[in-house]
Amino acid sequence: MTTGEQRFAQQEFAGMPPRLFRASPSRLHAWLDCPRRYRMQYLDRPSPPARPQRAHTSFGVAVHNALRDWWDLPPGQRTAAAGAELVRSSWIDVGFRDAEQSLQWRGRAQQHVTDYLGQLDPARQPLGIERTVSLKTERLALQGRIDRLDDRDGELVVVDYKTSRSAPTDDEARTSLPLALYAAAVWKMFRRRCVRVELHHLPTGQVASHEHTGESLKRKIEEAESIARDAQRAEADYADFGVDSGRFPARVGPLCQWCDFRAHCPAGQAAGPEKSGWAALEEDRDDQRAEAVR
């Protein structure tokens, strides 16, 4: 056991309050996805340079920014056409194969946003837009940002926008750790019950949802604390050994082809060729080609 781990274990054995682990839901997920990527992203200093942003990220950011800025407009100006203009003005032309592909996907983003906004009541102001929330437990100091927080006749609802190709399911809403932690944080901050979480899929207009209970939120918090404990123990080892710590193995799998840090990870490079910057936009076409070959 290393010095850092000994200090960590001694605190727990002596019944001392552990140092709070400060994290966001995305940081906790990064640890679960791959400890090696977690180390490079959050611990190594200077952090290894990440690859340039991919096209699907540019697409998603533009959509999220437009939906955020739309609510800053005066109610009378909150039209679907205004949403399309916000997409155009916030468009990020990064990661695409060429200008033609970028223009094509900008048009799709504008269509998704106008279709979605056409279903909303512009006068019904959400309680929060990209609202930062926080939650403290005996082990964890969590902070994250909610896409939208609705107050629907006294019921607080956590809304998360999705722009992926596949529509999320109710089961994904149920099992989502970030959504549950956001709901728990909202409940504590506003001192009002918050159990409903929703995934709003812009490409299809579908909504996946789940109604938590106080008990199910408690289980999600315990899950987050367990992840935090493992990451905190690994970080204690990193404090002694740095990049030579053995607690940050590469979790090799399909995600390696998409990893922003694969250029610095031989194990990830061996998992298969890197996906192009626009691969997530072209998967349907690639699937069709593969089917034709078969």
Side-chain angles (χ1 to χ4, degrees), residues 128-163:
I129 297 293
E130 294 206 1
R131 172 65 188 255
T132 297
V133 295
S134 59
L135 175 70
K136 283 188 177 182
T137 72
E138 292 183 356
R139 179 173 297 279
L140 182 64
L142 183 95
Q143 188 173 81
R145 190 168 57 187
I146 301 173
D147 286 342
R148 196 174 88 212
L149 180 62
D150 287 352
D151 185 345
R152 302 179 191 168
D153 300 322
E155 179 187 28
L156 298 185
V157 181
V158 173
V159 174
D160 190 56
Y161 302 131
K162 291 298 179 185
T163 58

Side-chain angles (χ1 to χ4, degrees), residues 1-217:
M1 185 178 291
T2 68
T3 304
E5 286 183 295
Q6 286 177 336
R7 289 194 299 268
F8 182 80
Q10 286 170 357
Q11 283 184 331
E12 292 201 325
F13 183 76
M16 297 172 58
R19 177 176 58 87
L20 291 182
F21 185 74
R22 300 186 178 278
S24 63
S26 59
R27 181 166 181 156
L28 296 178
H29 262 300
W31 172 256
L32 290 178
D33 287 343
C34 179
R36 177 73 51 79
R37 177 168 70 86
Y38 178 94
R39 193 204 74 202
M40 290 190 284
Q41 183 175 357
Y42 292 105
L43 302 182
D44 290 351
R45 292 294 178 268
S47 177
R51 74 175 312 284
Q53 181 169 285
R54 295 180 183 274
H56 69 271
T57 301
S58 298
F59 176 83
V61 169
V63 169
H64 278 72
N65 287 347
L67 295 178
R68 175 198 65 199
D69 296 342
W70 190 76
W71 290 105
D72 289 335
L73 298 174
Q77 297 179 23
R78 293 173 187 168
T79 64
E85 173 58 23
L86 287 171
V87 171
R88 189 200 62 78
S89 62
S90 67
W91 186 248
I92 306 169
D93 190 14
V94 175
F96 296 92
R97 182 183 57 241
D98 50 35
E100 180 182 359
Q101 186 188 52
S102 175
L103 186 62
Q104 172 192 358
W105 281 87
R106 190 185 78 184
R108 291 194 185 188
Q110 290 176 302
Q111 189 62 57
H112 294 337
V113 167
T114 55
D115 289 346
Y116 181 75
L117 292 177
Q119 304 172 23
L120 300 184
D121 179 357
R124 191 167 189 171
Q125 183 75 27
L127 187 61
I129 297 293
E130 294 206 1
R131 172 65 188 255
T132 297
V133 295
S134 59
L135 175 70
K136 283 188 177 182
T137 72
E138 292 183 356
R139 179 173 297 279
L140 182 64
L142 183 95
Q143 188 173 81
R145 190 168 57 187
I146 301 173
D147 286 342
R148 196 174 88 212
L149 180 62
D150 287 352
D151 185 345
R152 302 179 191 168
D153 300 322
E155 179 187 28
L156 298 185
V157 181
V158 173
V159 174
D160 190 56
Y161 302 131
K162 291 298 179 185
T163 58
S164 56
R165 291 187 306 120
S166 301
T169 64
D170 288 346
D171 194 56
E172 289 177 77
R174 178 184 64 82
T175 59
S176 171
L177 180 62
L179 289 182
L181 295 177
Y182 292 149
V186 166
W187 191 337
K188 186 170 184 178
M189 288 179 62
F190 289 86
R191 297 183 180 181
R192 293 172 58 187
R193 181 178 172 84
C194 179
V195 294
R196 184 174 177 83
V197 297
E198 296 180 348
L199 295 170
H200 290 205
H201 190 239
L202 272 292
T204 63
Q206 296 182 33
V207 174
S209 64
H210 180 68
E211 293 273 351
H212 277 285
T213 65
E215 185 59 32
S216 68
L217 290 180

